[in-house]
Amino acid sequence: MRKGIELYSFKEIEKIRTACRIVAEVLQAVAENIKPGVSTWDIEMIAREEAKKRGARPAFLNYRPPFSNVSYPAATCISINEEVVHGLPRREKIVEEGDLVSVDFGAIIDGYAGDSAITVAVGETGEEKRRLLTATKLALERAVEKATAGNWLSDVVEAIHGTAEEFKVFPVLKYGGHGIGRKIHEEPFVPNNRKDLGGKDIKLKQGMVIAIEPMFALGTEETVQDGDGWTVKTKDGSPAAHFEHTVAVTKNGALVLTEI
Ligand code: MF3
Ligand code: CO
């Protein structure tokens, strides 16, 4: 597995950081506009505009991910409540009070990519969704701390899965983070659920750049694919949350690149 993993120089990491900073700025602008009454297509349009202003190309638009044989038709993935990931923005999909709205966005500039996701609570969501959000955010923070040279990929996975257990929520199966750099999806796969490690492990090395993206659900670790061919939902209809950062692994610890 190790063979396919790119190692990036500090100079290249700075280029990845440029893409990542734009992603963070776009997501900040998007977050300010998530309120009851806006459609997920409105959010998509804001993301496209904000990326364009900064000279970046949306990474997901017309991209064919490894898990699909068709290209993704939007710049963002917007997943609300029971939708976990890859939610396709739609004019008819309207944000409501109490929703958990996850927005995932990637950008490419000067040949390098950045990828990040946030989940926004719309108004008062209730205690359970708050717990889910807290757990997912904390899992990302803890996982990032483990992304240091000399640690193992399983340390990152354990930080994510262990946090889910602590908060009595579920790390979804099959979906997770990934290497990133010159391409949006590179080796290795970074699982959220320890079952997906499948006994394989990788030692983290200086220069690896990975997107870490915990996705937790309130009631199950299982998901189903929606009829639109993209949107992934929880099997039991319980809400999900998702946070993602692009992170560079160094000998002195993790560098979070998707920050302003
Ligand atoms: N945002 C997803 C990730 O973080 C990738 C979405 S690819 C798409 O890995 F094609 F579905 F947009
Ligand atoms: Co990603």
Side-chain angles (χ1 to χ4, degrees), residues 1-256:
M1 242 3 228
R2 146 117 21 132
K3 232 173 75 213
I5 301 177
E6 302 282 344
L7 296 179
Y8 292 100
S9 67
F10 277 110
K11 225 172 147 178
E12 289 175 301
I13 289 171
E14 281 315 306
K15 290 191 168 195
I16 299 169
R17 195 201 291 272
T18 301
C20 286
R21 235 184 232 134
I22 292 173
V23 169
E25 288 171 7
V26 169
L27 284 179
Q28 191 182 58
V30 157
E32 286 164 11
N33 285 283
I34 296 179
K35 32 182 104 108
V38 304
S39 75
T40 56
W41 187 256
D42 296 331
I43 299 170
E44 162 80 11
M45 284 297 121
I46 294 165
R48 287 193 194 192
E49 244 169 64
E50 295 292 331
K52 194 172 177 184
K53 261 195 232 170
R54 293 167 175 83
R57 174 165 68 85
F60 306 158
L61 184 61
N62 301 321
Y63 166 73
R64 191 179 62 76
F67 55 81
S68 170
N69 41 31
V70 285
S71 300
Y72 190 70
T76 57
C77 299
I78 307 179
S79 314
I80 302 184
N81 297 330
E82 77 284 0
E83 298 170 349
V84 184
V85 272
H86 305 158
L88 199 58
R90 290 193 291 122
R91 268 174 249 277
E92 319 78 62
K93 183 99 182 169
I94 308 295
V95 171
E96 289 171 21
E97 168 85 15
D99 280 349
L100 286 184
V101 181
S102 124
V103 182
D104 192 338
F105 180 73
I108 299 177
I109 190 163
D110 201 13
Y112 291 86
D115 188 6
S116 181
I118 52 169
T119 298
V120 176
V122 183
E124 185 43 59
T125 60
E127 188 276 324
E128 285 203 306
K129 283 181 174 174
R130 275 205 304 274
R131 171 165 56 90
L132 178 62
L133 207 64
T134 303
T136 318
K137 210 185 262 179
L138 183 61
L140 177 55
E141 243 171 68
R142 288 176 175 171
V144 163
E145 277 170 27
K146 297 290 182 186
T148 185
N151 277 358
W152 294 84
L153 184 65
S154 57
D155 295 324
V156 172
V157 177
E158 200 46 46
I160 295 171
H161 198 135
T163 305
E165 286 174 330
E166 186 184 325
F167 284 81
K168 299 192 161 48
V169 296
F170 297 83
V172 304
L173 287 164
K174 272 184 10 204
Y175 298 94
H178 46 91
I180 176 169
R182 270 182 288 270
K183 288 188 289 177
I184 189 85
H185 287 145
E186 299 181 350
E187 296 290 337
F189 175 57
V190 182
N192 290 317
N193 191 304
R194 59 172 82 97
K195 281 181 210 159
D196 285 333
L197 259 179
K200 277 186 296 189
D201 212 348
I202 290 160
K203 199 165 198 176
L204 301 178
K205 288 171 109 182
Q206 163 81 44
M208 286 184 185
V209 180
I210 54 175
I212 303 175
E213 44 183 319
M215 299 159 209
F216 290 171
L218 257 185
T220 181
E221 57 186 23
E222 291 185 85
T223 57
V224 290
Q225 173 97 41
D226 191 64
D228 67 9
W230 291 102
T231 310
V232 174
K233 299 181 172 184
T234 57
K235 197 172 181 186
D236 65 351
S238 67
H242 177 206
F243 286 91
E244 174 179 19
H245 271 313
T246 297
V247 174
V249 175
T250 82
K251 284 180 185 144
N252 304 315
L255 289 177
V256 176

